[in-house]
Each structure stands twice: as structure tokens, then as C-alpha cells.
Amino acid sequence: MSVMAVVYEVEDPVAAHPGGAVDGGGEAVVVRVHAAPSAPGMPGVPGPRTFCGRDTFAMRAAPPQPAGQPAGQPGATWYDTEHADRVCPACDDAVGTD
């Protein structure tokens, strides 16, 4: 698999920006989990589009290490298992499994 980044589509896009929500409105709700090719020369930083074609600008980057099983282990996933029910099917198909 090529280098990729995991991004979260959130309910409150303003909170996804580095400065956070203007009013400190708290944590944004993860609506969908996407995968995107990494930006050239920047591993872990998402490129402009997800594998399913969505714009990553208003998405929040996932933590570097997923909370699921470590990569290379049987049953390992590319996404945090906490959000397994919100994984984009098109991105999941594009990433595939080991």
C-alpha cells in the first residue's frame, strides 16, 4: 500500500481547522472516516482529495497511530476501530487489505 493519511469528515468543519472552533465549541463529531494519498514529500499529511474524491480541506487529520491493532497484524485496519462504523466504503475499497 502507498503512503496515505486518514482524515475525518466532521460535523463542524470550523472546528477541523488548526485554530479550532471560534467559540471553543468543543470536540467535532466524526461523521465519516476517509483515506487520502499523502501530500508529495509529506508522509501522513493528506493530499487535496480522498480516495473517494472528496475535498480534504475541511477534514480533520486522524492521529498518526490508529487505536486499532498495529499494522501488519492479522485483522489490522487503516482506521481507528472506534470509528469502524463510519468508514467510507469507497475509501476502504481503494485502500484494500493486506
Side-chain angles (χ1 to χ4, degrees):
M1 170 175 33
S2 63
V3 178
M4 63 168 223
V6 178
V7 290
Y8 297 147
E9 185 177 342
V10 294
E11 189 172 88
D12 181 7
V14 174
H17 291 282
V22 175
D23 297 331
E27 198 66 26
V29 176
V30 175
V31 176
R32 184 74 68 192
V33 180
H34 295 276
S38 290
M42 303 178 76
V45 176
R49 299 252 174 226
T50 63
F51 286 118
C52 68
R54 302 216 33 158
D55 187 348
T56 62
F57 176 74
M59 295 187 188
R60 173 179 291 170
Q65 296 294 327
Q69 296 178 342
Q73 298 297 316
T77 59
W78 57 268
Y79 49 85
D80 187 332
T81 56
E82 174 185 357
H83 304 301
D85 60 334
R86 295 172 225 154
V87 171
C88 170
C91 287
D92 196 32
D93 288 345
V95 172
T97 56
D98 292 337

